[in-house]
Amino acid sequence: MALRVGHAMWRVAPRRPGDCAVPWATAAAAGGASSGGAVATGAASHKLRIALVSMSTGRARQQQLGPASSGTDSAAAGGITSASAAGGAAAVNSRAAEFSDLLDLTGPVFAEYAAIHGYTYADASGLMDASRPASWSKILAVLSALDAYDWVMWVDADILITNTSLPLERLLPAAAGADKPAGPDFILTTDAAGVNAGVWLMRGRDCAWCRAFLARWWSLSSFIRTDVSSGKSGDNDALKHMIATMDPDELAAHVGLAPQCACNSYLWRSSPRTWGRWLARPYTMQGGLWQPGDFLLHLAGINAKKAYLRRFFDQQLQQLQQLQPRDEQALALLLQQVQEQEQEQEQEQEREQMEPEELAAAALAREPRPLRLMSGQQAATGGAVNTARGAVLGGGDTRMQQQQQQLWNARRLQEGRRYLRASRGRRWAWGWGSHAR
């Protein structure tokens, strides 16, 4: 991970928790999750309907999320009164321009991810309320989809999914049973500053608590920041207030806090506030920094978001181009090793099928001995030694004795190879054919 501090680039290895998995039983772990979102519930198999919702300023597109009602009707049914705005306009502040048309960069990735796993992606930019900053309208967008889906995931427009192979079922709680609770209805993450409203999931159908929670969140109008010079909208502060003041029993029954690295990794930004949080909570800060393989990258608190996203795209493309030749070389080397192993196995099978006499003859044919020119004294000495050896062995032809010795060595070699093949995986000690268990 690169930490950019001024004009310097520092490389660190962020410390991560032992596991980025959520602390509750998930639909994926239950054994019934698939790329299409199918989860086993009792005897039948129920396919979860999941919606991925986002929006950004500067877009006039509106997609109807529910088949029965539009976003305005759903908001009214949930006890929310909103001022609709034509063309997706909303109250602006100093950061409104940072989110303008961000979905042009991140929206195609959202749509691709949803198509891979069988989810629904919706651009709810047309549901923005004109009386508040744009980020407050995420409440209206999610509320409009609750009746039509089992789960709704909200993602800010400055979020980029970087690992499309990870399904949302790994975050969602498993279906309730007779011996296990239903799990949380509202899933979000915490960082060094508290809970974050950029990414969260909420249960949809038949969740009365969810609709009441969104209505209470929308009603906290005292947190709205309409100051043009302000860099905040107030929706995140309102969410922190609700979580902090919630009854402990209600919090434990309905709210689930997932590790930040599970679905809300940040990109490092250098500022006095960030360094202060780092010094105060280094483990939490490091655990939330984005790493290759993480589910998504959230540009929280970063200015010039479009420039960062384009730079990130360029860096990933360059790394991919650099890795491609290496992958080709590694593949060629792997194929060569496989071919060599196959040839060795074929030769070994041929040697097993050969008789000891044929094996000895093949060994002599493969390794011819070079001729040695001996002097008269060496020849005489060698002849005397051979004569003495023949006398000790009882006489006979020395050539016949050499053949018998070669045959005996060939049999011993073949038996040793069979023994080694049958004893693979054992720890060998010194000595022929000895082993220690």
Side-chain angles (χ1 to χ4, degrees):
M1 169 56 60
L3 302 186
R4 184 178 298 274
V5 185
H7 298 285
M9 293 290 290
W10 293 352
R11 294 279 176 180
V12 299
R15 294 172 55 196
R16 279 286 175 83
D19 190 1
C20 289
V22 294
W24 52 81
T26 63
S34 64
S35 60
V39 177
T41 56
S45 179
H46 170 62
K47 182 179 180 180
L48 291 176
R49 286 178 53 85
I50 303 175
L52 193 71
V53 184
S54 185
M55 65 170 55
S56 69
T57 57
R59 301 171 67 87
R61 186 182 305 140
Q62 178 176 354
Q63 179 173 340
Q64 184 170 328
L65 302 179
S69 60
S70 64
T72 305
D73 296 337
S74 298
I80 294 178
T81 303
S82 63
S84 60
V92 297
N93 54 20
S94 61
R95 296 184 59 195
E98 296 292 338
F99 287 87
S100 179
D101 295 330
L102 267 182
L103 281 185
D104 292 341
L105 298 175
T106 60
V109 184
F110 294 155
E112 180 182 358
Y113 174 76
I116 291 174
H117 297 279
Y119 308 148
T120 300
Y121 166 65
D123 177 5
S125 300
L127 297 179
M128 288 187 182
D129 187 272
S131 62
R132 306 187 182 196
S135 59
W136 279 89
S137 297
K138 67 181 68 173
I139 302 174
L140 303 178
V142 173
L143 186 60
S144 65
L146 289 183
D147 292 337
Y149 296 93
D150 298 307
W151 282 89
V152 180
M153 181 180 186
W154 169 262
V155 284
D156 281 352
D158 61 342
I159 288 175
L160 178 67
I161 296 178
T162 55
N163 190 347
T164 57
S165 65
L166 299 178
L168 293 180
E169 284 80 7
R170 68 187 180 88
L171 304 174
L172 303 179
D179 57 345
K180 59 182 179 180
D185 299 319
F186 181 44
I187 302 172
L188 69 165
T189 63
T190 59
D191 54 27
V195 295
N196 181 261
V199 183
W200 43 278
L201 298 99
M202 179 163 283
R203 195 184 298 271
R205 297 170 178 169
D206 302 328
C207 183
W209 179 89
C210 300
R211 303 183 69 88
F213 179 86
L214 293 178
R216 282 184 293 169
W217 190 0
W218 182 266
S219 65
L220 297 178
S221 57
S222 60
F223 288 90
I224 298 176
R225 306 285 290 272
T226 57
D227 185 6
V228 177
S229 61
S230 175
K232 294 184 178 181
S233 301
D235 59 303
N236 206 125
D237 294 334
L239 179 61
K240 290 180 181 180
H241 172 75
M242 292 182 65
I243 298 298
T245 58
M246 186 177 294
D247 182 76
D249 294 336
E250 180 183 4
L251 184 68
H254 297 283
V255 179
L257 298 179
Q260 186 179 356
C261 57
C263 59
N264 197 11
S265 301
Y266 289 172
L267 189 66
W268 172 264
R269 64 187 182 95
S270 179
S271 67
R273 178 181 298 178
T274 303
W275 281 108
R277 292 173 179 173
W278 180 287
L279 295 176
R281 305 179 65 182
Y283 184 79
T284 303
M285 288 289 294
Q286 291 176 346
L289 289 179
W290 181 87
Q291 290 183 359
D294 284 359
F295 176 44
L296 54 80
L297 170 66
H298 187 187
L299 301 181
I302 292 181
N303 298 325
K305 297 179 184 293
K306 294 180 182 178
Y308 266 95
L309 284 175
R310 292 191 179 97
R311 187 185 309 168
F312 181 82
F313 284 137
D314 294 340
Q315 291 177 354
Q316 297 301 312
L317 182 60
Q318 292 177 1
Q319 293 179 4
L320 183 62
Q321 294 174 351
Q322 292 175 359
L323 291 176
Q324 187 174 3
R326 299 179 186 176
D327 294 342
E328 294 177 354
Q329 295 176 1
L331 180 60
L333 180 61
L334 180 61
L335 292 176
Q336 182 180 358
Q337 293 176 354
V338 170
Q339 293 176 357
E340 293 177 354
Q341 292 177 357
E342 291 177 352
Q343 293 177 358
E344 292 179 357
Q345 292 177 358
E346 292 177 357
Q347 295 176 359
E348 187 176 357
Q349 292 176 358
E350 293 177 356
R351 286 194 295 268
E352 291 177 357
Q353 297 175 358
M354 296 174 63
E355 295 297 333
E357 293 79 2
E358 297 177 353
L359 186 62
L364 291 175
R366 286 195 305 270
E367 299 179 0
R369 296 181 179 180
L371 296 176
R372 294 181 60 187
L373 299 178
M374 298 185 294
S375 61
Q377 183 178 3
Q378 291 174 342
T381 306
V385 171
N386 291 333
T387 302
R389 182 181 300 171
V392 172
L393 295 176
D397 190 2
T398 305
R399 182 178 181 83
M400 182 65 68
Q401 296 173 2
Q402 292 178 353
Q403 291 179 355
Q404 292 176 356
Q405 183 71 23
Q406 291 174 357
L407 290 175
W408 186 82
N409 291 337
R411 291 192 186 98
R412 187 174 182 181
L413 179 62
Q414 188 175 17
E415 292 175 357
R417 285 176 176 168
R418 290 176 180 173
Y419 189 81
L420 288 172
R421 194 178 301 108
S423 304
R424 286 178 180 173
R426 300 179 181 177
R427 294 182 295 116
W428 287 85
W430 291 106
W432 177 264
S434 63
H435 66 276
R437 292 186 182 274

